[in-house]
Short mmCIF file of all heavy atoms in Angstrom, two decimals:
data_model
loop_
_atom_site.label_atom_id
_atom_site.label_comp_id
_atom_site.label_asym_id
_atom_site.label_seq_id
_atom_site.Cartn_x
_atom_site.Cartn_y
_atom_site.Cartn_z
N ALA S 23 22.09 -34.87 11.27
CA ALA S 23 20.67 -34.82 11.66
C ALA S 23 20.27 -36.27 12.01
O ALA S 23 20.73 -37.20 11.60
CB ALA S 23 19.79 -34.19 10.51
N SER S 24 19.38 -36.25 12.99
CA SER S 24 18.83 -37.51 13.47
C SER S 24 17.36 -37.40 13.72
O SER S 24 16.95 -36.51 14.42
CB SER S 24 19.60 -37.96 14.70
OG SER S 24 18.94 -39.18 15.30
N GLY S 25 16.56 -38.36 13.20
CA GLY S 25 15.20 -38.49 13.60
C GLY S 25 15.07 -38.89 14.97
O GLY S 25 15.87 -39.66 15.48
N LEU S 26 14.01 -38.46 15.69
CA LEU S 26 13.82 -38.72 17.13
C LEU S 26 12.39 -39.10 17.40
O LEU S 26 11.42 -38.39 16.94
CB LEU S 26 14.20 -37.44 17.94
CG LEU S 26 14.21 -37.52 19.52
CD1 LEU S 26 15.20 -36.64 20.05
CD2 LEU S 26 12.80 -37.31 20.05
N VAL S 27 12.27 -40.33 17.95
CA VAL S 27 10.93 -40.73 18.27
C VAL S 27 10.89 -41.04 19.84
O VAL S 27 11.72 -41.77 20.42
CB VAL S 27 10.54 -42.06 17.59
CG1 VAL S 27 9.20 -42.59 18.10
CG2 VAL S 27 10.50 -41.84 16.10
N TYR S 28 10.08 -40.28 20.55
CA TYR S 28 9.94 -40.53 21.98
C TYR S 28 9.20 -41.87 22.31
O TYR S 28 8.01 -41.93 21.97
CB TYR S 28 9.32 -39.40 22.64
CG TYR S 28 9.15 -39.54 24.19
CD1 TYR S 28 10.27 -39.48 24.95
CD2 TYR S 28 7.93 -39.66 24.77
CE1 TYR S 28 10.17 -39.68 26.34
CE2 TYR S 28 7.78 -39.81 26.10
CZ TYR S 28 8.99 -39.86 26.89
OH TYR S 28 8.86 -40.01 28.26
N PHE S 29 9.91 -42.81 22.86
CA PHE S 29 9.25 -44.15 22.99
C PHE S 29 8.50 -44.20 24.34
O PHE S 29 7.33 -44.64 24.39
CB PHE S 29 10.32 -45.21 22.94
CG PHE S 29 9.76 -46.66 23.03
CD1 PHE S 29 9.04 -47.18 22.09
CD2 PHE S 29 10.10 -47.36 24.17
CE1 PHE S 29 8.51 -48.41 22.15
CE2 PHE S 29 9.44 -48.64 24.40
CZ PHE S 29 8.69 -49.19 23.29
N GLY S 30 9.12 -43.78 25.41
CA GLY S 30 8.49 -43.76 26.70
C GLY S 30 8.05 -45.10 27.23
O GLY S 30 6.87 -45.29 27.65
N GLY S 31 8.84 -46.10 27.09
CA GLY S 31 8.45 -47.46 27.54
C GLY S 31 8.62 -47.75 28.97
O GLY S 31 9.28 -46.93 29.74
N VAL S 32 7.88 -48.79 29.44
CA VAL S 32 7.88 -49.17 30.88
C VAL S 32 8.85 -50.28 31.10
O VAL S 32 8.92 -51.15 30.32
CB VAL S 32 6.46 -49.44 31.28
CG1 VAL S 32 6.43 -50.11 32.58
CG2 VAL S 32 5.51 -48.34 31.14
N TYR S 33 9.61 -50.16 32.14
CA TYR S 33 10.58 -51.19 32.55
C TYR S 33 10.01 -51.91 33.87
O TYR S 33 9.80 -53.06 33.95
CB TYR S 33 11.96 -50.67 32.79
CG TYR S 33 12.95 -51.84 33.22
CD1 TYR S 33 13.32 -52.79 32.29
CD2 TYR S 33 13.52 -51.74 34.45
CE1 TYR S 33 14.14 -53.75 32.67
CE2 TYR S 33 14.42 -52.67 34.83
CZ TYR S 33 14.65 -53.73 33.98
OH TYR S 33 15.61 -54.81 34.39
N HIS S 34 9.83 -51.03 34.88
CA HIS S 34 9.29 -51.54 36.16
C HIS S 34 7.82 -51.18 36.40
O HIS S 34 7.01 -51.94 36.70
CB HIS S 34 10.12 -51.00 37.44
CG HIS S 34 11.32 -51.92 37.61
ND1 HIS S 34 12.40 -51.40 38.33
CD2 HIS S 34 11.62 -53.16 37.31
CE1 HIS S 34 13.37 -52.35 38.39
NE2 HIS S 34 12.94 -53.42 37.71
N GLY S 35 7.61 -49.81 36.21
CA GLY S 35 6.27 -49.28 36.39
C GLY S 35 5.89 -48.25 35.39
O GLY S 35 6.68 -47.85 34.57
N PRO S 36 4.64 -47.77 35.48
CA PRO S 36 4.17 -46.66 34.49
C PRO S 36 4.99 -45.42 34.55
O PRO S 36 4.93 -44.65 33.59
CB PRO S 36 2.74 -46.48 34.90
CG PRO S 36 2.34 -47.70 35.71
CD PRO S 36 3.57 -48.17 36.38
N SER S 37 5.64 -45.16 35.73
CA SER S 37 6.35 -43.86 35.77
C SER S 37 7.77 -43.85 35.11
O SER S 37 8.36 -42.98 35.09
CB SER S 37 6.51 -43.45 37.22
OG SER S 37 7.25 -44.43 37.98
N ASP S 38 8.19 -45.08 34.58
CA ASP S 38 9.57 -45.23 34.07
C ASP S 38 9.75 -44.30 32.84
O ASP S 38 10.60 -43.47 32.79
CB ASP S 38 9.84 -46.59 33.71
CG ASP S 38 10.05 -47.53 34.89
OD1 ASP S 38 10.28 -46.92 36.05
OD2 ASP S 38 9.98 -48.70 34.82
N GLN S 39 8.92 -44.51 31.75
CA GLN S 39 8.97 -43.67 30.63
C GLN S 39 10.40 -43.64 29.96
O GLN S 39 10.99 -42.63 29.88
CB GLN S 39 8.49 -42.28 30.86
CG GLN S 39 7.07 -42.21 31.38
CD GLN S 39 6.55 -40.79 31.73
OE1 GLN S 39 7.24 -39.78 31.41
NE2 GLN S 39 5.48 -40.72 32.30
N LEU S 40 10.89 -44.80 29.56
CA LEU S 40 12.30 -44.89 29.07
C LEU S 40 12.32 -45.07 27.63
O LEU S 40 11.45 -45.66 26.97
CB LEU S 40 12.92 -46.11 29.76
CG LEU S 40 12.90 -46.21 31.30
CD1 LEU S 40 13.58 -47.52 31.74
CD2 LEU S 40 13.61 -45.06 31.93
N GLY S 41 13.43 -44.55 27.01
CA GLY S 41 13.69 -44.86 25.62
C GLY S 41 13.44 -43.72 24.60
O GLY S 41 12.29 -43.18 24.64
N ILE S 42 14.48 -43.34 23.89
CA ILE S 42 14.38 -42.46 22.72
C ILE S 42 14.96 -43.09 21.55
O ILE S 42 16.18 -43.54 21.56
CB ILE S 42 15.11 -41.08 23.08
CG1 ILE S 42 14.61 -40.52 24.38
CG2 ILE S 42 14.96 -40.12 21.86
CD1 ILE S 42 15.45 -39.32 24.88
N ALA S 43 14.28 -43.28 20.57
CA ALA S 43 14.68 -43.91 19.27
C ALA S 43 15.33 -42.87 18.42
O ALA S 43 14.73 -41.78 18.07
CB ALA S 43 13.58 -44.54 18.53
N VAL S 44 16.55 -43.01 17.96
CA VAL S 44 17.31 -42.13 17.17
C VAL S 44 18.04 -42.83 16.03
O VAL S 44 18.10 -44.07 16.02
CB VAL S 44 18.40 -41.42 18.02
CG1 VAL S 44 17.71 -40.64 19.16
CG2 VAL S 44 19.44 -42.38 18.59
N ASP S 45 18.58 -42.08 15.15
CA ASP S 45 19.38 -42.62 13.97
C ASP S 45 20.79 -42.91 14.38
O ASP S 45 21.37 -42.03 15.08
CB ASP S 45 19.32 -41.70 12.79
CG ASP S 45 17.91 -41.51 12.21
OD1 ASP S 45 17.06 -42.46 12.43
OD2 ASP S 45 17.58 -40.44 11.68
N ALA S 46 21.26 -43.99 14.00
CA ALA S 46 22.65 -44.39 14.42
C ALA S 46 23.69 -43.96 13.57
O ALA S 46 24.92 -43.94 13.87
CB ALA S 46 22.67 -45.96 14.65
N ASP S 47 23.32 -43.52 12.29
CA ASP S 47 24.38 -43.26 11.20
C ASP S 47 25.36 -42.17 11.61
O ASP S 47 26.46 -42.12 11.17
CB ASP S 47 23.76 -43.13 9.85
CG ASP S 47 22.71 -42.02 9.94
OD1 ASP S 47 22.33 -41.57 10.91
OD2 ASP S 47 22.36 -41.58 8.84
N GLN S 48 24.87 -41.15 12.31
CA GLN S 48 25.70 -39.97 12.58
C GLN S 48 25.76 -39.64 14.17
O GLN S 48 25.89 -38.54 14.50
CB GLN S 48 25.23 -38.74 11.87
CG GLN S 48 25.26 -38.85 10.29
CD GLN S 48 24.77 -37.59 9.67
OE1 GLN S 48 23.65 -37.20 9.88
NE2 GLN S 48 25.58 -37.06 8.74
N ALA S 49 25.67 -40.65 14.96
CA ALA S 49 25.58 -40.55 16.40
C ALA S 49 26.71 -39.82 16.98
O ALA S 49 26.60 -38.90 17.83
CB ALA S 49 25.35 -41.88 17.02
N GLU S 50 27.95 -40.04 16.45
CA GLU S 50 29.10 -39.51 17.06
C GLU S 50 29.19 -37.99 16.71
O GLU S 50 29.86 -37.22 17.44
CB GLU S 50 30.41 -40.17 16.65
CG GLU S 50 30.75 -40.09 15.20
CD GLU S 50 30.06 -41.22 14.32
OE1 GLU S 50 29.00 -41.69 14.77
OE2 GLU S 50 30.71 -41.59 13.33
N LEU S 51 28.61 -37.63 15.59
CA LEU S 51 28.50 -36.15 15.28
C LEU S 51 27.42 -35.46 15.90
O LEU S 51 27.59 -34.20 16.17
CB LEU S 51 28.32 -36.04 13.68
CG LEU S 51 29.42 -36.64 12.80
CD1 LEU S 51 29.08 -36.48 11.38
CD2 LEU S 51 30.79 -35.95 13.13
N MET S 52 26.37 -36.13 16.27
CA MET S 52 25.20 -35.48 16.90
C MET S 52 25.38 -35.25 18.43
O MET S 52 24.96 -34.15 18.89
CB MET S 52 23.98 -36.43 16.74
CG MET S 52 23.30 -36.26 15.38
SD MET S 52 22.70 -34.67 15.00
CE MET S 52 21.87 -34.21 16.49
N TRP S 53 25.94 -36.14 19.08
CA TRP S 53 25.98 -36.09 20.58
C TRP S 53 27.40 -36.44 21.14
O TRP S 53 27.55 -37.23 22.06
CB TRP S 53 24.97 -37.08 21.28
CG TRP S 53 23.62 -36.86 20.74
CD1 TRP S 53 22.71 -35.90 21.10
CD2 TRP S 53 22.92 -37.74 19.74
NE1 TRP S 53 21.55 -36.02 20.48
CE2 TRP S 53 21.63 -37.15 19.60
CE3 TRP S 53 23.26 -38.87 19.09
CZ2 TRP S 53 20.67 -37.66 18.81
CZ3 TRP S 53 22.26 -39.48 18.32
CH2 TRP S 53 20.96 -38.88 18.12
N PRO S 54 28.47 -35.73 20.69
CA PRO S 54 29.67 -35.90 21.31
C PRO S 54 29.79 -35.47 22.74
O PRO S 54 30.50 -36.02 23.57
CB PRO S 54 30.64 -34.99 20.46
CG PRO S 54 29.69 -33.93 19.82
CD PRO S 54 28.43 -34.65 19.59
N ASP S 55 28.98 -34.41 23.14
CA ASP S 55 28.92 -34.04 24.57
C ASP S 55 28.24 -35.01 25.41
O ASP S 55 28.29 -34.99 26.66
CB ASP S 55 28.36 -32.67 24.69
CG ASP S 55 27.04 -32.54 24.04
OD1 ASP S 55 26.68 -33.29 23.09
OD2 ASP S 55 26.14 -31.74 24.56
#
């Protein structure tokens, strides 16, 4: 299991909406695909 926080940060402009904060401890089990 991993907590998920939608960050939606700006890199170039307001439409970027980048970044999802997740837990790193079980990343290889969570998203192998």
Side-chain angles (χ1 to χ4, degrees):
S24 171
L26 183 152
V27 176
Y28 179 68
F29 183 70
V32 170
Y33 181 68
H34 277 159
S37 61
D38 288 344
Q39 301 178 8
L40 307 179
I42 303 171
V44 299
D45 297 332
D47 55 346
Q48 295 180 307
E50 66 271 30
L51 298 177
M52 279 300 311
W53 303 286
D55 53 331

